[in-house]
Structure formats: C-alpha cells, structure tokens
C-alpha cells in the first residue's frame, strides 16, 4: 500500500494567551489528491496549512511530507524539506521590484534547482499554461489581481513541489477575476497535482475536490466526498454552515 504523501497526526497549535487554533488534528493526503478545507473564519483552516508550510510553529503532534518530518526540525533541515511544499497566498506576495519572469525564476535559481536558462524556459512554459505568455517582461504592478495570482501560482510551481497549498487564493480578487484563477486551479487538479486548498469557493470544492474537510474551532468536524458533504452532511455544524452559505448566495 502506497504511503500517503502527507501524514498529520495529533497536531496542535496554541497561540499566546492560550488560544487553541488546532486541536489534535489527524489528516492524510494521498499523492495526486485534491483536498478542499472549508469552515468559518477562525476555524483553523489557514493555520493548518501554514503549519504544513512551516510558517507557524506547532505545539504538539507531527507533520510528515513524503515521509520526512517537517515540524519541530532545525531551520537548516527545514530549508531542504520546504522545497517539497509550495504555497499560494491570498495577497499574491510577489516582489514588486522584479518583473513577471524574475518573480518566477528567483527561487529555483537561488535554491540551485535550475540555472537561469532552464528556469526561464520553465517559467515561460508555466506562463503559457496559465494564459500569460505575453506578460513575461511586465512589471507585476501593471497586472490585474487575477493575473498576479496566476503569476504567484507559476512561482510556486516553478519549485516543482510535491504538494501545493492554497490559502484562500481568490479572497482578495474582484468577482470578475475569480474565475480565471479557479480555472488554473482546476487544470492543476486535472493534471494530478497534489493540492490542499483553503477556500470559500463552493463551486470549486464541488467540481475539483476529491475530499472536502470541514473545520470548526480548530478541529476537523467532518471529512467526506464533495457529493456526500454538500448533499448529506453528517455533522450538525456542517449543516448549519451550508445553510448560511446558501442564504448568502441566494
């Protein structure tokens, strides 16, 4: 039996003041699986993926990516492990002093994964994939929010990670730009990229996810296929969440 790509066991995260953001979270993710994490604000969704990417320290439990421990390790060892984990943030986090090509090629060149020519070829391939082949020399400030987020996705993919994490990648976008980013994410899902996506986009969860996870108060309340979660949720808290979403969309 193939080992899961991501193995999370009894994960806890406590912030100052005794705020328990994660409570004994257990989760495994298979290679090529798309997991969408839903839940109200403050439920621990973003904290979970920030812990996977090492942006938050954990206070208990373990996280393994491809068999390697990624929490509670030295910074030197973490820099190597982190190459396997890509992250796309809600605010793009692009470097304003670099053009599009420079943003995408910087990390793989500095990490020694690729030389300049190889990194630029890969960046152009990725830009073509997301419909931005004509923007390689553009300053990032000249791009729309949707275009910047697509560049951010290319930048994460350029590192050739084993898993790609998305932290509400469309929440900062104008409504008309959301679709272009979701289209890229759906394509990545179809191509078998392992993804964990924190999002409020229910349509994406329904159409692209292999599994939906619903979190509340730092715990995984429910884990199910999209069909089962959206048509027959088992947990009362899940049902109330979906009812609120339905009223908001009505």
């Amino acid at each position: 039996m193939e080992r899961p790509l991501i193995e999370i066991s009894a994960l806890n995260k406590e912030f100052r003041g005794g705020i328990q953001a994660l409570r004994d979270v257990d989760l495994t993710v298979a290679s090529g699986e798309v997991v969408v994490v839903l839940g109200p604000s403050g439920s621990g969704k973003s904290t979970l993926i920030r812990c996977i990417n090492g942006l938050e320290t954990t206070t208990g439990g373990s996280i393994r990516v491809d068999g390697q421990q990624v929490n509670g390790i030295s910074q030197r060892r973490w820099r190597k492990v982190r190459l396997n984990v890509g992250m796309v943030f809600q605010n793009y986090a692009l470097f304003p002093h670099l053009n599009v090509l420079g943003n995408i090629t910087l990390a793989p060149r500095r990490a020694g994964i690729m030389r300049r020519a190889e990194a630029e070829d890969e960046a152009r391939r990725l830009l073509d994939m997301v419909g931005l082949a004509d923007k390689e020399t553009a300053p990032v400030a000249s791009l729309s929010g949707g275009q910047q987020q697509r560049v951010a996705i290319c930048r994460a993919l350029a590192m050739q990670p084993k898993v790609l994490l998305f932290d509400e990648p469309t929440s900062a976008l104008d409504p008309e730009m959301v679709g272009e980013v979701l289209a890229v994410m759906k394509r990545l899902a179809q191509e078998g990229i392992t993804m964990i996506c924190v999002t409020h986009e229910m349509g994406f969860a329904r159409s692209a996810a292999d599994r939906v996870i619903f979190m509340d108060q730092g715990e995984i309340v429910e884990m199910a296929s999209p069909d089962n979660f959206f048509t027959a949720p088992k947990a009362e808290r899940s049902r109330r969440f979906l009812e609120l979403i339905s009223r908001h969309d009505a």
Side-chain angles (χ1 to χ4, degrees):
M1 186 176 180
E2 188 177 357
R3 180 181 63 197
L5 180 60
I6 297 175
E7 301 168 275
I8 299 173
S9 178
L11 188 66
N12 283 272
K13 169 62 180 178
E14 184 175 322
F15 289 105
R16 288 182 181 178
I19 299 171
Q20 192 76 24
L22 296 175
R23 303 171 185 271
D24 295 322
V25 171
D26 294 321
L27 175 66
T28 60
V29 179
S31 179
E33 188 176 17
V34 177
V35 174
V36 170
V37 185
L38 304 176
S41 297
S43 61
K45 314 182 298 293
S46 292
T47 301
L48 174 62
I49 62 170
R50 287 175 65 85
C51 286
I52 298 172
N53 198 42
L55 297 173
E56 297 285 357
T57 57
T58 59
T59 49
S62 67
I63 306 171
R64 291 182 177 274
V65 177
D66 200 22
Q68 298 183 75
Q69 184 96 10
V70 300
N71 66 319
I73 60 177
S74 69
Q75 282 297 312
R76 183 178 178 182
R77 187 178 163 207
W78 170 242
R79 280 193 289 270
K80 293 182 179 180
V81 173
R82 197 175 200 165
L83 297 178
N84 293 326
V85 184
M87 184 90 170
V88 178
F89 302 90
Q90 57 182 291
N91 63 349
Y92 331 134
L94 298 175
F95 299 114
H97 64 289
L98 298 176
N99 65 14
V100 167
L101 203 66
N103 266 276
I104 298 171
T105 59
L106 180 65
R109 287 173 52 208
R110 283 196 172 176
I113 296 174
M114 302 176 194
R115 299 192 177 201
R116 179 187 289 271
E118 185 184 2
E120 290 182 350
D121 285 346
E122 177 63 6
R124 292 185 179 106
R125 183 189 73 81
L126 292 169
L127 286 169
D128 183 60
M129 181 190 75
V130 302
L132 294 175
D134 61 334
K135 299 293 185 182
E136 66 173 78
T137 61
V140 293
S142 70
L143 305 180
S144 69
Q147 290 172 332
Q148 289 190 52
Q149 192 61 292
R150 283 184 278 163
V151 171
I153 292 172
C154 291
R155 182 179 61 180
L157 288 170
M159 293 295 288
Q160 301 176 339
K162 292 181 177 177
V163 59
L164 200 54
L165 309 175
F166 291 85
D167 187 8
E168 301 192 13
T170 61
S171 65
L173 300 178
D174 292 333
E176 63 269 22
M177 298 176 186
V178 170
E180 61 193 48
V181 173
L182 291 180
V184 171
M185 293 172 64
K186 287 179 182 178
R187 177 170 178 175
L188 295 178
Q190 291 166 357
E191 292 183 358
I193 304 293
T194 308
M195 299 161 58
I196 303 178
C197 309
V198 171
T199 183
H200 292 292
E201 299 294 336
M202 299 298 137
F204 175 79
R206 284 177 180 269
S207 63
D210 295 302
R211 258 189 308 162
V212 171
I213 290 172
F214 177 74
M215 293 187 68
D216 191 31
Q217 297 183 2
E219 299 177 324
I220 293 179
V221 175
E222 187 158 353
M223 190 182 306
S225 69
D227 283 347
N228 287 341
F229 180 78
F230 286 106
T231 61
K234 294 181 179 178
E236 174 60 28
R237 183 65 186 88
S238 302
R239 289 193 288 271
R240 283 190 280 121
F241 175 79
L242 291 172
E243 287 172 4
L244 288 171
I245 293 293
S246 297
R247 289 176 197 162
H248 180 269
D249 292 341

